[in-house]
Amino acid sequence: MAQHIAGLALGTRLLVSVVPLLLPASPGEATDLHRFWEQTCGDCHAHAGPFAQRYLTVKDGRLQGGHHKDDLFVFLGNHHLPPNLVRPMYEMLLAQAGTAPRFKERCGRCHESAADLARESLVIRDGILQGRESGRPIADFLPRHAKLGLTPQDVAFFTDLLTRVEREVHGAD
Protein backbone atom coordinates (compact mmCIF):
# COMPACT_ATOMS: atom_id res chain seq x y z
CA MET A 1 0.00 0.00 0.00
CA ALA A 2 2.82 2.41 0.91
CA GLN A 3 4.51 1.73 -2.46
CA HIS A 4 1.24 2.48 -4.27
CA ILE A 5 0.85 5.80 -2.42
CA ALA A 6 4.51 6.69 -3.07
CA GLY A 7 4.00 5.88 -6.76
CA LEU A 8 0.91 8.09 -6.90
CA ALA A 9 2.78 10.91 -5.18
CA LEU A 10 5.66 10.62 -7.65
CA GLY A 11 3.21 10.55 -10.57
CA THR A 12 1.43 13.62 -9.24
CA ARG A 13 4.72 15.52 -8.80
CA LEU A 14 5.76 14.57 -12.32
CA LEU A 15 2.42 15.67 -13.74
CA VAL A 16 2.54 18.98 -11.86
CA SER A 17 6.07 19.65 -13.11
CA VAL A 18 5.43 18.69 -16.74
CA VAL A 19 2.01 20.28 -17.35
CA PRO A 20 3.33 23.87 -17.23
CA LEU A 21 5.83 22.94 -19.96
CA LEU A 22 3.01 21.79 -22.21
CA LEU A 23 0.88 24.87 -21.82
CA PRO A 24 1.70 28.16 -23.52
CA ALA A 25 2.81 30.94 -21.19
CA SER A 26 -0.19 32.99 -22.30
CA PRO A 27 -2.97 32.57 -24.85
CA GLY A 28 -1.62 32.53 -28.41
CA GLU A 29 1.92 31.68 -27.32
CA ALA A 30 3.51 28.44 -28.50
CA THR A 31 5.56 26.01 -26.44
CA ASP A 32 9.30 26.67 -26.61
CA LEU A 33 10.41 23.40 -28.22
CA HIS A 34 14.04 23.83 -27.20
CA ARG A 35 13.18 24.49 -23.57
CA PHE A 36 10.75 21.56 -23.57
CA TRP A 37 13.51 19.30 -24.96
CA GLU A 38 16.04 20.55 -22.39
CA GLN A 39 13.66 20.00 -19.46
CA THR A 40 11.97 16.79 -20.59
CA CYS A 41 14.38 14.97 -22.90
CA GLY A 42 17.74 16.48 -21.99
CA ASP A 43 18.53 14.21 -19.06
CA CYS A 44 18.70 11.19 -21.38
CA HIS A 45 19.47 12.77 -24.74
CA ALA A 46 21.51 15.94 -24.02
CA HIS A 47 20.91 18.93 -26.33
CA ALA A 48 18.59 18.38 -29.29
CA GLY A 49 20.97 19.59 -32.03
CA PRO A 50 23.96 17.40 -31.19
CA PHE A 51 21.60 14.49 -30.43
CA ALA A 52 19.91 14.79 -33.84
CA GLN A 53 23.21 15.20 -35.67
CA ARG A 54 24.77 12.19 -33.97
CA TYR A 55 21.92 9.69 -33.67
CA LEU A 56 19.38 10.57 -36.36
CA THR A 57 19.56 10.51 -40.12
CA VAL A 58 17.42 11.83 -42.94
CA LYS A 59 16.52 9.41 -45.70
CA ASP A 60 14.15 10.36 -48.52
CA GLY A 61 13.08 13.40 -46.49
CA ARG A 62 12.14 11.29 -43.45
CA LEU A 63 13.78 11.22 -40.08
CA GLN A 64 15.21 7.90 -38.91
CA GLY A 65 16.72 6.71 -35.68
CA GLY A 66 19.20 3.89 -35.25
CA HIS A 67 16.54 1.62 -33.76
CA HIS A 68 13.43 3.25 -35.25
CA LYS A 69 13.96 3.29 -38.99
CA ASP A 70 10.40 2.66 -40.12
CA ASP A 71 8.46 5.41 -38.42
CA LEU A 72 10.21 7.69 -35.97
CA PHE A 73 7.14 9.94 -36.02
CA VAL A 74 5.03 7.20 -34.40
CA PHE A 75 7.82 6.46 -31.92
CA LEU A 76 7.94 10.10 -30.82
CA GLY A 77 4.20 10.00 -30.19
CA ASN A 78 4.76 7.12 -27.78
CA HIS A 79 7.89 8.52 -26.11
CA HIS A 80 7.12 11.24 -23.54
CA LEU A 81 5.65 13.79 -25.97
CA PRO A 82 2.15 15.18 -25.76
CA PRO A 83 0.21 14.87 -29.04
CA ASN A 84 0.39 18.60 -29.82
CA LEU A 85 4.21 18.51 -29.78
CA VAL A 86 4.89 15.36 -31.83
CA ARG A 87 4.87 17.04 -35.26
CA PRO A 88 6.73 20.23 -34.19
CA MET A 89 9.38 18.18 -32.36
CA TYR A 90 9.74 15.81 -35.33
CA GLU A 91 10.20 18.80 -37.67
CA MET A 92 12.73 20.40 -35.31
CA LEU A 93 14.77 17.17 -35.10
CA LEU A 94 14.48 16.67 -38.87
CA ALA A 95 15.91 20.15 -39.47
CA GLN A 96 18.66 19.65 -36.90
CA ALA A 97 19.67 16.23 -38.24
CA GLY A 98 20.24 17.79 -41.64
CA THR A 99 22.08 20.89 -40.42
CA ALA A 100 25.80 21.00 -39.78
CA PRO A 101 26.82 22.47 -36.38
CA ARG A 102 27.95 25.73 -38.01
CA PHE A 103 26.30 27.94 -35.39
CA LYS A 104 28.31 26.33 -32.62
CA GLU A 105 31.50 26.47 -34.70
CA ARG A 106 31.16 30.08 -35.88
CA CYS A 107 29.08 31.72 -33.14
CA GLY A 108 29.58 29.54 -30.06
CA ARG A 109 32.41 31.62 -28.69
CA CYS A 110 29.95 34.43 -27.89
CA HIS A 111 26.51 32.81 -28.07
CA GLU A 112 25.68 29.78 -25.91
CA SER A 113 23.11 28.46 -28.37
CA ALA A 114 20.95 29.55 -31.28
CA ALA A 115 17.87 28.92 -29.11
CA ASP A 116 19.14 31.24 -26.36
CA LEU A 117 19.98 33.92 -28.93
CA ALA A 118 16.56 33.62 -30.55
CA ARG A 119 14.76 33.55 -27.20
CA GLU A 120 16.52 36.66 -25.89
CA SER A 121 17.31 38.80 -28.90
CA LEU A 122 15.34 37.89 -32.03
CA VAL A 123 11.79 38.32 -33.27
CA ILE A 124 9.99 37.82 -36.57
CA ARG A 125 8.01 40.90 -37.60
CA ASP A 126 6.17 41.03 -40.90
CA GLY A 127 7.90 37.80 -41.90
CA ILE A 128 11.41 39.21 -41.38
CA LEU A 129 13.84 38.08 -38.68
CA GLN A 130 14.91 41.15 -36.74
CA GLY A 131 16.79 42.16 -33.65
CA ARG A 132 14.21 42.37 -30.87
CA GLU A 133 15.33 45.80 -29.64
CA SER A 134 16.87 47.36 -32.74
CA GLY A 135 14.25 46.19 -35.24
CA ARG A 136 17.11 45.77 -37.70
CA PRO A 137 16.80 42.83 -40.13
CA ILE A 138 19.30 40.13 -39.20
CA ALA A 139 20.21 39.61 -42.86
CA ASP A 140 21.43 43.25 -42.92
CA PHE A 141 23.20 42.95 -39.57
CA LEU A 142 25.14 39.69 -40.08
CA PRO A 143 27.58 40.76 -42.84
CA ARG A 144 29.27 43.16 -40.42
CA HIS A 145 28.69 41.24 -37.18
CA ALA A 146 31.77 40.52 -35.03
CA LYS A 147 34.11 40.51 -38.02
CA LEU A 148 33.14 36.94 -38.85
CA GLY A 149 33.78 37.51 -42.53
CA LEU A 150 30.49 35.97 -43.59
CA THR A 151 29.89 35.37 -47.26
CA PRO A 152 26.44 36.04 -48.75
CA GLN A 153 25.88 32.25 -48.59
CA ASP A 154 26.80 32.27 -44.88
CA VAL A 155 24.40 35.16 -44.23
CA ALA A 156 21.59 33.26 -45.97
CA PHE A 157 22.40 30.08 -44.02
CA PHE A 158 22.48 31.78 -40.61
CA THR A 159 19.42 33.90 -41.35
CA ASP A 160 17.46 30.78 -42.33
CA LEU A 161 18.75 28.84 -39.33
CA LEU A 162 17.94 31.61 -36.85
CA THR A 163 14.52 32.17 -38.42
CA ARG A 164 13.71 28.48 -37.95
CA VAL A 165 14.99 28.49 -34.37
CA GLU A 166 13.07 31.68 -33.55
CA ARG A 167 9.88 29.93 -34.68
CA GLU A 168 10.78 26.88 -32.59
CA VAL A 169 11.15 28.97 -29.43
CA HIS A 170 8.39 31.55 -30.03
CA GLY A 171 6.02 29.80 -32.46
CA ALA A 172 5.26 30.75 -36.06
CA ASP A 173 4.59 34.40 -36.84
Side-chain angles (χ1 to χ4, degrees):
M1 180 69 165
Q3 287 179 336
H4 179 70
I5 292 171
L8 286 174
L10 176 61
T12 301
R13 284 195 310 269
L14 181 61
L15 183 63
V16 168
S17 67
V18 171
V19 166
L21 296 173
L22 307 179
L23 300 173
S26 64
E29 226 177 278
T31 299
D32 181 331
L33 295 175
H34 291 263
R35 185 159 285 139
F36 181 90
W37 178 279
E38 291 162 8
Q39 294 175 348
T40 306
C41 313
D43 285 346
C44 296
H45 303 301
H47 291 288
F51 170 80
Q53 293 157 4
R54 183 170 181 183
Y55 297 108
L56 303 176
T57 57
V58 179
K59 184 173 181 186
D60 299 327
R62 295 183 63 200
L63 192 59
Q64 293 184 338
H67 302 292
H68 304 281
K69 294 188 185 304
D70 294 332
D71 202 340
L72 190 61
F73 187 82
V74 170
F75 172 76
L76 288 174
N78 295 317
H79 191 69
H80 308 291
L81 284 176
N84 66 320
L85 294 185
V86 173
R87 176 152 308 279
M89 192 65 70
Y90 177 90
E91 290 172 359
M92 180 182 83
L93 292 170
L94 178 65
Q96 290 176 332
T99 302
R102 291 174 61 189
F103 184 88
K104 183 175 182 165
E105 293 166 358
R106 296 292 297 269
C107 312
R109 200 176 79 224
C110 298
H111 301 288
E112 181 69 25
S113 71
D116 286 341
L117 175 63
R119 201 176 284 122
E120 297 163 7
S121 303
L122 303 176
V123 65
I124 296 174
R125 291 188 186 113
D126 299 322
I128 298 170
L129 184 67
Q130 301 174 3
R132 181 177 300 282
E133 292 186 23
S134 71
R136 186 173 178 192
I138 295 304
D140 295 344
F141 171 76
L142 284 176
R144 292 175 290 286
H145 178 59
K147 300 179 185 172
L148 290 175
L150 298 177
T151 67
Q153 294 81 8
D154 291 332
V155 170
F157 171 84
F158 286 112
T159 300
D160 290 347
L161 175 114
L162 291 170
T163 299
R164 173 182 58 81
V165 172
E166 194 281 340
R167 287 187 173 122
E168 292 167 354
V169 300
H170 294 125
D173 62 334

